[in-house]
Amino acid sequence: VELTADEGDEFNTYFSDIATLCRQYTVQFITGDADLSEVASFQAQLEEMGVQNCCDIYQEALERYNQR
């Protein structure tokens, strides 16, 4: 799918920090530095950072693509 320029700008606003957090938690979960009981907290952080906005942006782009 292709994002419009506005969608790309908005997506990038959120996604850079989200990707960093995901990488950090992935390593911590694998190495045991973070307990799996922290998954809910991790998910809450993602929501606060705008992960749903990123999903919505891609959903709109996918719907445009499917309508072609």
Side-chain angles (χ1 to χ4, degrees):
V1 297
E2 291 185 27
L3 302 178
T4 65
D6 289 339
E7 288 171 336
D9 290 343
E10 184 177 357
F11 181 85
N12 289 331
T13 298
Y14 296 108
F15 193 72
S16 177
D17 292 337
I18 290 171
T20 299
L21 182 70
C22 287
R23 283 191 296 273
Q24 290 171 345
Y25 265 96
T26 298
V27 170
Q28 290 176 358
F29 287 136
I30 290 171
T31 61
D33 289 339
D35 191 81
L36 290 178
S37 65
E38 296 178 43
V39 169
S41 173
F42 168 57
Q43 290 171 324
Q45 281 182 280
L46 290 174
E47 288 296 326
E48 289 173 13
M49 295 174 80
V51 75
Q52 186 59 51
N53 292 339
C54 292
C55 292
D56 293 343
I57 290 168
Y58 259 88
Q59 184 63 44
E60 289 176 22
L62 177 62
E63 290 171 5
R64 273 196 316 274
Y65 176 81
N66 287 335
Q67 290 176 359
R68 296 190 305 160

